[in-house]
Amino acid sequence: MMSMLEIIEQTKLLFDSLYDGILIIDKNGVVKYINSSYTRITKVKEEEILGKFLIEARPGSSLTTAMNNREIKLGVHRKMGDVEYLVNMVPIFKNGVVIGAISLVNELRDIYKLTEKLNLSKIIIQNLQEHVKTLGNGKYSFDDIIAVDRKSIETKEFAKKIALGDSNVLITGESGTGKELYASGIHNYSARKEFPFIPVNCASFGKNLIESELFGYEEGSFTGAKKNGKTGLFQLAHGGTLFLDEIGELEYGLQGKLLRVLQERSIRKIGGGNEVPINVRLICATNKNLEKMVEQGTFRRDLYYRIAIMPLEILPLRDKKDDIIPISKRFIYELNGKYKATMELDESALIMLCNYHWPGNIRELRNVIEFTFNMTEENLIKASDFPDNIKNEDDFKNEILPLKEKISQMEKRYIKNTIDFFGDTVEGKKKAASSLGISLATLYNKLGK
């Protein structure tokens, strides 16, 4: 058992090792102890203050007053010559009786440095948040998806229902059909819309690179690893949605790691040993037949069932031709805004666009419109202005009609499709009129014709 003298010596040793300055007075206000940090900060030496009344040795000190008033004083600013510091003052009690007081001193320069570090940390966090927003805000909503064809309307409404849940989604469809557009729309219509939407194209990364991108890695995990490691996209998407495009290109071994993430709801960085919990909704997309790949043994069956809980098929443009004219006009509108132009599509151009089979789907349609827009010298695009591969004379001659008649046919189909969707009842027609952006009276008038 230590003696009282040993306890005092141990206590002094502890106080002398502290970075903060310490000064202790007794109940009479006489300085009984200062540590080396107090001298470092205030430049006051032991012989100048020990055994003296504090208010005499350090004019302006308020520790004695705080002790007598039995109050705690925090963050008191003091300046002696060129030295500025902050003082925290606390009375010392024994059995409810004040027996002294203690000052803890911090140099203001150290406070400023700490504040700078905190501010720098805030800036880093803000920059990271902005980076995540840049990665993460889904650019498109369902309002950006043009759905005039009956099949398109059904697809869009089904996607909205999917968005309201939180199950994993598998979007299938040919290249260029707008799978990312639908993925972004689902995210922005869901409860996760305030959190990141991060798209990743699985075909654009090598095996090792996609793994480090998805899961991140610890410092020193492999040659070329960043000094402080890397945060993976699963972590960056926390709370939001991770969109894995071209999921069919994911290497088989990595499919197993992805399955584990979906099962455990956590990830482990490359080179790390700790599990990091994640809360992410997964949307995958592919233009491949994953079921066939499962049968061939190139895609894991258990992973397929994990990602395809909510399947969404996007039809090719040739199967929803009523969308072609409004989509084309949207592209022209956007290009006119970009280039401050007044370009239009004439009758022959619209008919040719409707009769082409569009193997590249909406992406090809956009490219054709933009190419022709830039190559046409007048303000009117005609069928003759399109690239040669679009000028399919056989299809073109089969269905050539005056523009008004063609538009009338499309309007009839569009109204019929809308009523079929909402129901041929009074309430259904009200909803159809609202969806079409016309009054109920106008709808009845058009039905009468």
Side-chain angles (χ1 to χ4, degrees), residues 8 364 440:
I8 293 172
E364 183 185 10
L440 185 60

Side-chain angles (χ1 to χ4, degrees), residues 63 66 71-74 88-93 100-104:
L63 178 60
E71 63 178 339
I72 296 173
K73 301 181 76 170
L74 303 177
N88 295 328
M89 293 170 272
V90 182
I92 301 172
F93 294 89
I102 183 170
S103 285
L104 280 81

Side-chain angles (χ1 to χ4, degrees), residues 199-213:
V200 185
N201 190 311
C202 297
S204 61
F205 296 96
K207 171 183 176 291
N208 294 328
L209 190 55
I210 185 65
E211 183 175 0
S212 65
E213 287 292 319

Side-chain angles (χ1 to χ4, degrees), residues 235-418:
Q235 280 184 272
L236 290 177
H238 186 73
T241 303
L242 184 64
F243 173 52
L244 298 184
D245 198 6
E246 298 195 50
I247 187 69
E249 301 294 334
L250 200 64
E251 188 267 336
Y252 194 85
L254 196 52
Q255 292 175 23
K257 293 185 178 180
L258 178 58
L259 175 64
R260 181 185 175 281
V261 170
L262 297 179
Q263 290 173 334
E264 303 297 329
R265 310 292 293 180
S266 64
I267 61 105
R268 183 183 299 163
K269 289 185 176 183
I270 297 174
N274 297 326
E275 293 289 328
V276 181
I278 54 148
N279 173 19
V280 173
R281 185 183 197 184
L282 190 66
I283 300 180
C284 298
T286 183
N287 57 13
K288 293 189 173 183
N289 187 334
L290 292 189
E291 291 181 336
K292 186 175 181 180
M293 291 179 66
V294 168
E295 296 303 321
Q296 293 172 342
T298 56
F299 198 87
R300 295 182 63 115
R301 184 182 301 274
D302 43 10
L303 178 60
Y304 173 74
Y305 289 123
R306 279 281 182 177
I307 65 174
I309 296 173
M310 300 302 296
L312 177 66
E313 181 184 8
I314 312 298
L315 295 175
L317 191 56
R318 63 182 173 274
D319 289 344
K320 47 183 184 181
K321 288 203 166 187
D322 286 352
D323 288 345
I324 293 175
I325 288 180
I327 291 175
S328 300
K329 288 185 174 180
R330 166 73 69 83
F331 291 157
I332 290 291
Y333 173 80
E334 291 173 354
L335 290 167
N336 278 335
K338 180 178 180 179
Y339 295 106
K340 296 181 172 55
T342 56
M343 189 72 74
E344 293 182 2
L345 293 158
D346 84 345
E347 176 180 342
S348 65
L350 291 171
I351 295 172
M352 181 170 285
L353 290 174
C354 287
N355 283 284
Y356 182 62
H357 61 289
W358 300 111
N361 294 294
I362 296 173
R363 184 181 295 124
E364 183 185 10
L365 175 59
R366 176 186 284 277
N367 291 344
V368 167
I369 293 291
E370 187 164 355
F371 171 83
T372 311
F373 184 99
N374 285 292
M375 297 302 295
T376 303
E377 296 180 358
E378 301 177 1
N379 288 332
L380 188 66
I381 294 176
K382 303 179 289 294
S384 58
D385 296 320
F386 287 128
D388 291 340
N389 65 308
I390 304 299
K391 300 172 185 176
N392 189 321
E393 294 296 330
D394 292 335
D395 287 345
F396 181 67
K397 291 175 181 176
N398 283 342
E399 205 176 329
I400 186 164
L401 294 170
L403 180 60
K404 287 185 178 179
E405 186 174 340
K406 183 71 176 178
I407 292 175
S408 177
Q409 283 184 358
M410 291 183 63
E411 184 181 74
K412 287 177 183 177
R413 285 203 300 272
Y414 188 30
I415 291 174
K416 181 180 183 301
N417 291 343
T418 307

Side-chain angles (χ1 to χ4, degrees), residues 175-204:
S175 179
T177 51
K179 295 186 287 294
E180 183 171 347
L181 188 71
Y182 268 92
S184 180
I186 290 170
H187 170 78
N188 283 326
Y189 200 73
S190 74
R192 295 178 179 266
K193 62 184 178 182
E194 301 299 328
F195 294 90
F197 173 82
I198 299 184
V200 185
N201 190 311
C202 297
S204 61

